[in-house]
Amino acid sequence: MVKLAEWRGKELFRKYGIPLPRGQVARTPEEAEALARAGTVPLPCVVKAQVLAGGRGKGGAVRFANTPEEAKTAAAAILGLEFKGEKVREVLLEEKLPIARELYLSITLDRSLRLPIVISSAQGGMEIETVDDTAIERTPVHPFPGLASYEKRRVAHVLGVTGPVAKSLDRLLDSLWTLFNREDAELVEINPLAVVGEGLVALDAKVIIEDDAAFRHPEYADIRDDRTPLEEIAREKEIAFVQLDGNIGVIANGAGLTMATLDVLKEFGGNPGVFLDLGGTDDPKKVTEAFLLMARAKPRAVFLNIFGGVTRCDTVARGLVEAMKQVPDAERFPLVARIRGNNEKEGVEILRAAGITSIPTLKDSAQAVIAAAGGAA
Amino acid sequence: MVKLAEWRGKELFRKYGIPLPRGQVARTPEEAEALARAGTVPLPCVVKAQVLAGGRGKGGAVRFANTPEEAKTAAAAILGLEFKGEKVREVLLEEKLPIARELYLSITLDRSLRLPIVISSAQGGMEIETVDDTAIERTPVHPFPGLASYEKRRVAHVLGVTGPVAKSLDRLLDSLWTLFNREDAELVEINPLAVVGEGLVALDAKVIIEDDAAFRHPEYADIRDDRTPLEEIAREKEIAFVQLDGNIGVIANGAGLTMATLDVLKEFGGNPGVFLDLGGTDDPKKVTEAFLLMARAKPRAVFLNIFGGVTRCDTVARGLVEAMKQVPDAERFPLVARIRGNNEKEGVEILRAAGITSIPTLKDSAQAVIAAAGGAA
Amino acid sequence: MTVLVDENTRVLVQGITGHQGTVHTRQMKAFGTRVVAGVTPGKAGTEVEGVPVFDTVREAVAATQANASCIFVPAPYAKDALIEAVDAGILLSVVVTEHIPFHDMLVMYHYSRSKGGRIIGPNCPGIAAPGKAKVGIIPNVVFQPGRVGVISRSGTLTYEIVNGIKERGLGQSTCIGLGGDPVVGTSFVDALPLFQGDPETDVIVLVGEIGGTAEEDGAEYIRHHVTKPVVAYIAGRSAPPGKRMGHAGAIISRGRGTAETKLAALSAAGAKVARFPYEIPDLVAEIVARQARR
Amino acid sequence: MTVLVDENTRVLVQGITGHQGTVHTRQMKAFGTRVVAGVTPGKAGTEVEGVPVFDTVREAVAATQANASCIFVPAPYAKDALIEAVDAGILLSVVVTEHIPFHDMLVMYHYSRSKGGRIIGPNCPGIAAPGKAKVGIIPNVVFQPGRVGVISRSGTLTYEIVNGIKERGLGQSTCIGLGGDPVVGTSFVDALPLFQGDPETDVIVLVGEIGGTAEEDGAEYIRHHVTKPVVAYIAGRSAPPGKRMGHAGAIISRGRGTAETKLAALSAAGAKVARFPYEIPDLVAEIVARQARR
């Protein structure tokens, strides 16, 4: 999933006509000062760390400035931060507006209804999970007719806005709906959405674009998620690879089987450290690459759990044997294998020839790998 | 219905990215010459009368020019024309392109299917009615998913285009589909759609916007249909009013009843000259206005055929009596009335008091008005 | 239920506080219809003709179990009103509003249909079953209960014809005015099976107009599926050709759509064809007399 | 038909000339499925695994009366392929393709549904009824005919579990792999009634995963409507919380969506809950043995 930083989300908002405070991004304290001095960002202004994590206000990642010098100081303080593991590389400076009320508004997907859903609450400005459920309205929207006026009236009612503010909301909802669809968003969220005078202004912007729609959005190709270097390499090779805290590497095929394997390991006291989902690959080269990647994560032991369906057991075995030859000494690890299903016999034979025994049951093989990694925790 | 002149349709085409020849409108021969001389319109060029009627080619309303002088001469010849009752006020000058093939493409509504329909034929450049039915493909498109790729492939197949021309068609169809929907078109037609090199170019443009969508399209408010001056006044007053060749004026309420009245008159040898549909009006002032308008069309006799439903007979009668007082002597006409339905008794009584007898049956009243107009033809 | 509405129809009026909405709420009630709710945003809590008004259709349905809607809201807002009705689970909507852009109606029709709903109209007089219920604006005075079913594309002409049937001493089972717009929610082909299957209808009167091919499509349906006698009339035989929808329109109708093609198709399908509206009651009466002899 | 497919299912393969399309056409045929046609634009007239290839679904259906489609076309074109299938009157489509944007799938789902169609998937292994037909990619070897119905959100894990049931000496009536995408055409709630109503199914196995609330919704359905015994397993108990869909996602799931809430809901609904996949065959066997004694 592609999470856009606030300033980038706001660029999209601007494109779709959603009203914003006047503001600009700065990457150095000097830049921040210059923006304030030139009036590009009117004073007093807010200086906000451009990180993806929430809770910036409490975390000291949002500051205020009344003068260009204060803008510089604030930017300098924030640009040095490492906020919840994220290094702050940009700050967003925005005019401070006279806020009458703070509202909450978002559009996301309701999987059960299979419909986009507008979520609204008159209690904006805080994390929506902390708002009482009765104060939150969920308005599903059918994609064929699109957002209907009666649905917009319902949102206006919930937000308690009338007159010109309601008119502003009407336009804003149309914009947000269009953005949600055209940009293949998983989530568009405005929190807080501020009532300022007779209009509405989006004080924050949270936009998440769906990964699967990347082919339609080359403009987001440069955005990296919070991945480890190995995870980044895996992504480039199209291997699902996640690093956890434990010491057992798990290679399986299919998300469900991978998760089930982790469940079994945990249950017997094992501690999975990396999991790698081969997916439906049939390509020995891919298998080899996956193994080498696993080796670089330096697990204490590796558990290979494959059920051959589309994937053939012999192909996986061949890739594995090839990979084992290439793993440098420093990265060697004990390996426990369980390969079942399509071409199982051939696969087991290939492994045996390379000195690896395939243990047929999940229970036994899981216990074997836990032992190999130094025993249950 | 709002019919756009070719140049205006092409402005829309440009907005939606449909490829066009380079060209420009001229309103005087001098302007045409200047455009050609400046190279705004490359030479050789085509000079086309901007009228709504078809058959311009055969009618001398399309000419060619190789030099700026020829452009001036051509424009002068065409700007003087009265083409099928329309005065030519503008010519469109366009570069002459090397045409490989001429195709036909349009989108309109299929009432029976209740779907927009893409009509395509490889035999473009002539009136589509003259093309053999087997050479015409009709592709209905559902508005929810919109124009699907497989539908576009079907059109490409029918038009016999492949490779880069098919790619150009793909984009063009998307544009045309978007235009059809966003502009509330009844019809978008490109005939001919020319294959030029490896692309497609719209040589003509016919766009009709739906009247009922006028509230969404103030930009077309200035376009007048081919109405008579009285029809234009009627339109402003929101009275359905059509002038025909005959001498009997018909005032009825509702399109169906109006048509049925004309049918009966014709059947008995009458000759309707104006018909005026009061619609569902309940307002004596409107009735008066309608009568005065009818008087200005100078019918030999007028037949008032009202069935009161939503409309009340007494209201209509009151409006009528009021109107009769206001009609100047020169415009007086004999009147035959038939009013039935809602508040019939009161209406008949009001007419009787004003010296007008209501004849209850359609047959008798129709024959009476024919006699009043001088007898059957 | 016989044809779409009956004593159990609970009508909601969208746009009830407007002039038309109010007038016809009164008329529908006078007809004996159970008008249970009205909707006008911002007018919740008021009453019109003794009918409670709500802000939203959802609230109205929850409070009154309305199961049919009569829509009077102006054209620019009609699409939204229909979507709101459909989303609230109302499966029968009579759209009286005229001048709705057909692009809007395409969305209304296909959305409603995808949810199993039915639209009558737009730009239509609606539906009435004498002695049971009326949803729409057909004048009450033209009806009396009976066994003649009427399906019409016209407005006033329908009233005239229904009235003629009454004056001939016959009554109507149900009368539907389909509306004359380019896209209608219910066409002849959709309405005919309802009357064919209705045990309370003995004869069907079909009133068409020139333009489109709904009558030809209806004739095709009659030929294959309708066993009850049909009396048909087409208005506009003498109308000028008028302004057609460009060349492309002609390509779709493929030479159909004139009074002649319609009358020929209906006649070939076995319908009795009336040349004038006032002939309809006589043709119906003849058929009824013949049915009585059997 | 028992559950969606049987001997009369005539399968069309969209994207048949691709690697996956070709491989699985062979496998489906080997399973005994009547694969009657393939579609790849521009490849009409060729054959794949003895199956004739057409340019369009409409032509394929006209020539072969195909009534189910298996879609392998790449994600950017999958929406179009499904619309083409629906427009050609195909009411059951198994979408194997992965990585289809959910915005596309929303259109696919609602359009298909509006036409009375059903989608299985996307990103799913499909459906198989041993001895009858398979539409999708579940390996043939894991099946044997029997009376256990399997509904699963997983891929490979499903194969493993189905295989385990076979190795325990039991067989399957029908197995559906629903796919794990955010929007699926057929969810547990949609599939459960089919198995409940299927005379050939005695026990239902439900295999879920963390994320979303499909299992909770399924549990709710089981509680009210399913009388057959259900064995349930949820994968992902120990998975890290992972990347959620922002705060708004949490608001929709309202505290549901974890392995715990799913297991609790299923257990409360009366399902036997397996802690490990390999426990499923044992639980099923116990139930079958008990049923046999009755």
Side-chain angles (χ1 to χ4, degrees):
Chain A
M1 102 187 97
V2 184
K3 292 183 194 168
L4 304 191
E6 180 189 359
W7 67 272
R8 216 160 162 168
K10 283 186 170 169
E11 273 186 356
L12 272 187
F13 279 17
R14 189 168 290 115
K15 180 173 155 196
Y16 286 88
I18 295 171
L20 298 169
R22 279 169 295 176
Q24 195 120 346
V25 166
R27 286 176 181 82
T28 63
E30 292 69 31
E31 223 182 309
E33 185 186 9
L35 288 172
R37 197 173 300 284
T40 316
V41 179
L43 290 170
C45 75
V46 190
V47 184
K48 297 192 274 184
Q50 295 302 287
V51 288
L52 296 171
R56 289 178 299 179
K58 291 174 219 148
V62 176
R63 291 169 189 244
F64 298 91
N66 291 304
T67 63
E69 292 71 28
E70 284 180 29
K72 184 181 179 183
T73 315
I78 295 174
L79 283 166
L81 288 177
E82 175 137 342
F83 188 80
K84 297 188 185 174
E86 251 178 289
K87 214 173 145 134
V88 182
R89 294 176 203 285
E90 293 126 354
V91 289
L92 177 62
L93 285 81
E94 283 183 338
E95 62 178 329
K96 206 171 160 226
L97 293 167
I99 299 165
R101 289 175 57 213
E102 294 194 334
L103 313 171
Y104 175 92
L105 191 61
S106 69
I107 307 180
T108 186
L109 170 71
D110 186 317
R111 294 175 174 213
S112 291
L113 295 177
R114 298 164 171 117
L115 289 174
I117 188 162
V118 177
I119 302 176
S120 52
S121 173
Q123 298 178 31
M126 55 183 122
E127 295 204 356
I128 190 68
E129 292 103 317
T130 66
V131 175
D132 191 84
D133 205 58
T134 57
I136 299 171
E137 177 80 4
R138 296 158 182 83
T139 310
V141 180
H142 195 287
F144 177 24
L147 188 62
S149 304
Y150 88 89
E151 291 160 343
K152 293 190 278 183
R153 286 196 299 269
R154 196 194 295 179
V155 173
H157 181 75
V158 169
L159 297 184
V161 298
T162 54
V165 183
K167 278 209 176 133
S168 174
L169 177 69
D170 190 271
R171 285 190 300 271
L172 188 148
L173 278 167
D174 282 337
S175 299
L176 205 63
W177 171 251
T178 307
L179 189 163
F180 178 74
N181 288 289
R182 293 230 185 112
E183 301 292 329
D184 281 300
E186 278 184 22
L187 171 72
V188 285
E189 186 178 62
I190 309 179
N191 188 20
L193 173 65
V195 179
V196 176
E198 300 215 305
L200 291 166
V201 180
L203 295 192
D204 199 356
K206 184 165 204 167
V207 179
I208 303 178
I209 307 294
E210 198 199 1
D211 256 347
D212 285 343
F215 68 89
R216 287 198 279 249
H217 300 282
E219 66 272 27
Y220 303 126
D222 67 310
I223 296 181
R224 279 148 197 260
D225 228 330
D226 36 357
R227 295 189 192 87
T228 66
L230 283 182
E231 284 175 354
E232 190 52 44
I233 296 170
R235 200 181 97 97
E236 277 160 21
K237 296 187 190 292
E238 293 179 8
I239 297 167
F241 180 95
V242 177
Q243 283 185 290
L244 309 173
D245 315 324
N247 54 17
I248 301 175
V250 173
I251 302 178
N253 59 337
L257 185 59
T258 307
M259 283 195 280
T261 307
L262 298 183
D263 292 348
V264 175
L265 285 174
K266 275 267 191 191
E267 188 73 17
F268 289 116
N271 201 2
V274 181
F275 77 82
L276 193 156
D277 175 6
L278 287 178
T281 192
D282 224 352
D283 180 356
K285 269 217 299 240
K286 266 270 169 74
V287 175
T288 303
E289 273 178 355
F291 261 85
L292 292 174
L293 205 62
M294 175 61 85
R296 292 176 61 185
K298 305 203 178 159
R300 288 277 295 272
V302 167
F303 183 19
L304 175 77
N305 186 17
I306 296 294
F307 196 92
V310 183
T311 316
R312 284 160 45 190
C313 290
D314 56 336
T315 312
V316 174
R318 240 185 294 275
L320 169 68
V321 170
E322 183 53 40
M324 293 306 277
K325 287 184 208 156
Q326 296 180 27
V327 173
D329 277 355
E331 292 175 358
R332 295 256 170 210
F333 47 76
L335 176 77
V336 174
R338 170 179 181 265
I339 56 175
R340 302 292 317 267
N342 191 5
N343 286 21
E344 176 175 328
K345 263 190 206 165
E346 293 84 338
V348 168
E349 200 41 60
I350 291 165
L351 289 185
R352 194 195 316 275
I356 302 163
T357 312
S358 174
I359 303 173
T361 76
L362 183 51
K363 198 173 169 179
D364 295 346
S365 50
Q367 287 174 330
V369 78
I370 291 166
Chain B
M1 101 187 100
V2 184
K3 293 182 192 169
L4 303 191
E6 179 190 0
W7 68 270
R8 216 160 163 169
K10 282 185 169 168
E11 274 186 356
L12 271 187
F13 279 17
R14 188 168 290 115
K15 179 174 156 194
Y16 286 88
I18 295 170
L20 298 168
R22 280 170 294 178
Q24 195 120 346
V25 167
R27 286 176 180 84
T28 62
E30 292 69 31
E31 223 183 309
E33 186 186 10
L35 288 172
R37 196 172 300 283
T40 315
V41 179
L43 291 169
C45 76
V46 191
V47 184
K48 297 192 275 184
Q50 295 302 287
V51 288
L52 296 171
R56 289 177 300 179
K58 292 176 217 146
V62 176
R63 292 170 187 245
F64 298 91
N66 291 303
T67 63
E69 291 73 26
E70 284 181 28
K72 184 181 179 182
T73 316
I78 295 173
L79 282 166
L81 285 178
E82 175 136 345
F83 188 79
K84 298 190 185 174
E86 250 178 289
K87 215 174 146 137
V88 182
R89 295 177 202 285
E90 292 126 354
V91 290
L92 178 62
L93 284 82
E94 283 184 336
E95 62 179 329
K96 209 172 159 223
L97 293 168
I99 297 165
R101 289 175 56 213
E102 294 194 333
L103 313 172
Y104 175 91
L105 190 62
S106 68
I107 307 180
T108 187
L109 170 72
D110 186 317
R111 295 175 173 213
S112 290
L113 295 178
R114 298 165 171 117
L115 288 174
I117 188 162
V118 177
I119 303 176
S120 54
S121 173
Q123 297 178 32
M126 57 181 118
E127 295 204 356
I128 189 67
E129 291 102 317
T130 65
V131 174
D132 191 84
D133 204 58
T134 58
I136 298 171
E137 177 78 5
R138 294 159 184 82
T139 309
V141 179
H142 195 286
F144 177 25
L147 188 62
S149 304
Y150 88 90
E151 291 159 343
K152 293 190 278 185
R153 288 196 298 270
R154 195 194 295 178
V155 173
H157 180 77
V158 169
L159 298 184
V161 299
T162 55
V165 184
K167 278 212 176 130
S168 173
L169 177 68
D170 190 89
R171 284 190 300 270
L172 188 147
L173 278 167
D174 282 336
S175 299
L176 205 62
W177 171 252
T178 307
L179 189 163
F180 179 74
N181 288 289
R182 292 231 186 113
E183 301 292 329
D184 281 300
E186 278 184 22
L187 171 73
V188 284
E189 186 178 63
I190 310 179
N191 187 22
L193 173 65
V195 179
V196 176
E198 300 214 308
L200 291 166
V201 180
L203 295 193
D204 199 357
K206 185 165 202 165
V207 178
I208 303 177
I209 307 295
E210 198 200 2
D211 257 347
D212 284 342
F215 68 89
R216 287 199 279 250
H217 300 284
E219 66 272 27
Y220 302 126
D222 66 310
I223 297 178
R224 278 149 197 261
D225 227 331
D226 36 356
R227 296 190 192 87
T228 65
L230 282 183
E231 284 174 355
E232 191 52 45
I233 294 170
R235 200 179 97 96
E236 278 160 22
K237 296 186 189 293
E238 294 179 7
I239 297 166
F241 180 96
V242 177
Q243 283 186 289
L244 310 173
D245 314 324
N247 54 16
I248 302 175
V250 173
I251 301 177
N253 58 337
L257 184 60
T258 308
M259 283 195 281
T261 308
L262 297 183
D263 291 348
V264 174
L265 286 174
K266 275 270 191 189
E267 189 73 17
F268 290 115
N271 201 2
V274 181
F275 77 82
L276 194 155
D277 175 5
L278 287 179
T281 192
D282 225 353
D283 179 356
K285 269 215 304 233
K286 267 271 169 74
V287 175
T288 303
E289 273 179 356
F291 262 85
L292 291 174
L293 204 63
M294 175 60 84
R296 292 176 62 184
K298 304 201 178 159
R300 288 277 294 273
V302 167
F303 183 20
L304 174 78
N305 186 18
I306 296 295
F307 195 91
V310 183
T311 315
R312 283 158 48 187
C313 291
D314 55 337
T315 312
V316 175
R318 241 184 295 273
L320 169 67
V321 170
E322 183 54 38
M324 293 306 275
K325 288 183 206 155
Q326 297 179 26
V327 174
D329 277 356
E331 293 174 357
R332 295 255 171 210
F333 46 77
L335 174 78
V336 174
R338 170 179 180 266
I339 56 174
R340 303 289 319 267
N342 191 3
N343 287 24
E344 177 176 329
K345 262 191 207 164
E346 295 83 340
V348 168
E349 199 42 58
I350 291 166
L351 289 185
R352 194 197 315 275
I356 303 162
T357 312
S358 173
I359 304 174
T361 78
L362 183 52
K363 196 172 172 179
D364 295 346
S365 50
Q367 288 175 328
V369 77
I370 291 165
Chain C
M1 197 173 313
T2 53
V3 174
L4 298 177
V5 296
D6 64 14
E7 303 83 348
N8 301 315
T9 302
R10 299 174 66 82
V11 178
L12 164 83
V13 177
Q14 287 179 262
I16 194 168
T17 55
H19 173 64
Q20 263 208 316
T22 300
V23 166
H24 291 292
T25 295
R26 191 187 315 134
Q27 292 295 319
M28 282 189 266
K29 288 188 77 174
F31 197 83
T33 314
R34 298 169 71 169
V35 182
V36 297
V39 167
T40 299
K43 296 282 174 69
T46 63
E47 279 199 354
V48 169
E49 300 287 329
V51 175
V53 179
F54 298 84
D55 273 343
T56 70
V57 177
R58 198 164 61 160
E59 289 161 339
V61 169
T64 67
Q65 290 79 54
N67 56 17
S69 178
C70 193
I71 298 179
F72 290 101
V73 304
Y77 316 106
K79 181 175 92 174
D80 186 68
L82 184 277
I83 291 169
E84 184 176 0
V86 169
D87 286 350
I90 287 187
L91 296 182
L92 176 66
S93 298
V94 171
V95 184
V96 175
T97 312
E98 56 181 351
H99 296 309
I100 296 176
F102 79 79
H103 282 276
D104 285 4
M105 183 55 199
L106 285 177
V107 174
M108 292 160 72
Y109 173 74
H110 290 287
Y111 185 61
S112 162
R113 190 146 175 251
S114 78
K115 302 280 181 175
R118 177 189 291 276
I119 297 173
I120 298 176
N123 186 18
C124 82
I127 181 167
K132 293 174 180 158
K134 179 179 94 167
V135 189
I137 62 169
I138 316 181
N140 296 350
V141 293
V142 300
F143 289 105
Q144 74 185 6
R147 305 190 56 84
V148 181
V150 179
I151 317 172
S152 172
R153 264 176 78 190
S154 298
T156 317
L157 182 57
T158 312
Y159 315 159
E160 167 99 48
I161 288 167
V162 172
N163 193 58
I165 291 167
K166 185 180 84 172
E167 293 190 334
R168 196 66 174 72
L170 297 165
Q172 308 86 19
S173 53
T174 301
C175 168
I176 307 185
L178 305 173
D181 273 12
V183 178
V184 289
T186 301
S187 66
F188 288 120
V189 168
D190 304 314
L192 281 163
L194 305 176
F195 285 92
Q196 169 65 22
D198 173 28
E200 302 189 12
T201 298
D202 292 339
V203 191
I204 302 169
V205 173
L206 184 156
V207 181
E209 288 181 5
I210 52 166
T213 60
E215 290 79 5
E216 285 89 336
D217 298 341
E220 194 61 21
Y221 186 88
I222 291 169
R223 181 204 291 273
H224 294 294
H225 304 290
V226 176
T227 56
K228 296 182 181 178
V230 176
V231 174
Y233 170 75
I234 303 293
R237 267 200 326 279
S238 67
K243 294 146 187 168
R244 273 187 324 172
M245 236 169 86
H247 297 304
I251 290 304
I252 289 175
S253 42
R254 305 192 201 198
R256 300 174 301 162
T258 66
E260 286 69 39
T261 57
K262 290 173 193 302
L263 288 168
L266 285 161
S267 188
K272 287 274 166 213
V273 169
R275 284 190 72 72
F276 301 110
Y278 49 76
E279 289 174 4
I280 296 172
D282 293 337
L283 289 172
V284 171
E286 267 174 43
I287 290 167
V288 170
R290 216 176 314 127
Q291 284 175 334
R293 280 200 296 276
R294 251 187 269 143
Chain D
M1 194 173 316
T2 53
V3 173
L4 299 177
V5 298
D6 64 13
E7 304 84 347
N8 301 314
T9 302
R10 300 173 66 82
V11 178
L12 164 82
V13 177
Q14 287 180 262
I16 194 168
T17 55
H19 173 64
Q20 264 208 316
T22 301
V23 166
H24 290 292
T25 296
R26 191 186 317 133
Q27 292 295 321
M28 282 189 265
K29 288 187 77 174
F31 197 83
T33 314
R34 299 169 73 168
V35 182
V36 297
V39 166
T40 299
K43 296 283 175 66
T46 62
E47 277 199 356
V48 169
E49 301 287 328
V51 175
V53 179
F54 298 83
D55 274 342
T56 68
V57 177
R58 197 164 62 159
E59 288 161 341
V61 169
T64 67
Q65 290 78 53
N67 56 17
S69 178
C70 194
I71 297 180
F72 290 102
V73 305
Y77 316 106
K79 181 177 93 174
D80 187 68
L82 185 277
I83 291 168
E84 184 176 1
V86 170
D87 286 350
I90 287 187
L91 296 183
L92 177 67
S93 297
V94 171
V95 183
V96 176
T97 312
E98 56 180 351
H99 296 309
I100 297 176
F102 79 79
H103 282 276
D104 285 6
M105 183 55 199
L106 284 177
V107 175
M108 292 161 73
Y109 172 74
H110 290 287
Y111 186 61
S112 162
R113 190 145 176 253
S114 77
K115 302 281 182 175
R118 177 189 291 276
I119 297 173
I120 297 175
N123 186 19
C124 84
I127 181 168
K132 294 173 180 161
K134 179 180 91 167
V135 190
I137 61 169
I138 315 181
N140 296 350
V141 293
V142 300
F143 289 104
Q144 74 184 6
R147 306 189 57 81
V148 181
V150 179
I151 317 173
S152 173
R153 262 175 80 190
S154 298
T156 317
L157 181 58
T158 313
Y159 315 159
E160 167 99 47
I161 288 167
V162 173
N163 193 58
I165 291 168
K166 186 180 84 173
E167 293 191 336
R168 196 66 173 75
L170 297 165
Q172 308 84 18
S173 52
T174 301
C175 169
I176 307 185
L178 305 173
D181 273 13
V183 179
V184 289
T186 302
S187 66
F188 289 119
V189 168
D190 304 313
L192 282 163
L194 306 176
F195 285 92
Q196 169 65 21
D198 173 26
E200 302 190 11
T201 298
D202 291 339
V203 191
I204 301 169
V205 173
L206 183 157
V207 182
E209 288 180 5
I210 51 165
T213 60
E215 291 78 6
E216 285 89 337
D217 298 340
E220 193 62 21
Y221 187 86
I222 291 169
R223 180 204 291 273
H224 295 294
H225 305 290
V226 176
T227 57
K228 296 182 180 178
V230 176
V231 174
Y233 170 74
I234 304 292
R237 266 199 327 277
S238 66
K243 293 147 190 167
R244 273 187 322 174
M245 236 168 87
H247 296 303
I251 289 306
I252 288 175
S253 41
R254 305 193 200 197
R256 299 173 303 162
T258 67
E260 287 67 41
T261 57
K262 290 174 193 302
L263 289 168
L266 286 161
S267 188
K272 288 273 164 211
V273 169
R275 283 190 72 73
F276 301 110
Y278 49 77
E279 289 175 3
I280 296 171
D282 294 337
L283 289 173
V284 171
E286 266 173 45
I287 289 166
V288 170
R290 215 176 316 127
Q291 285 175 333
R293 279 200 295 278
R294 252 186 267 146

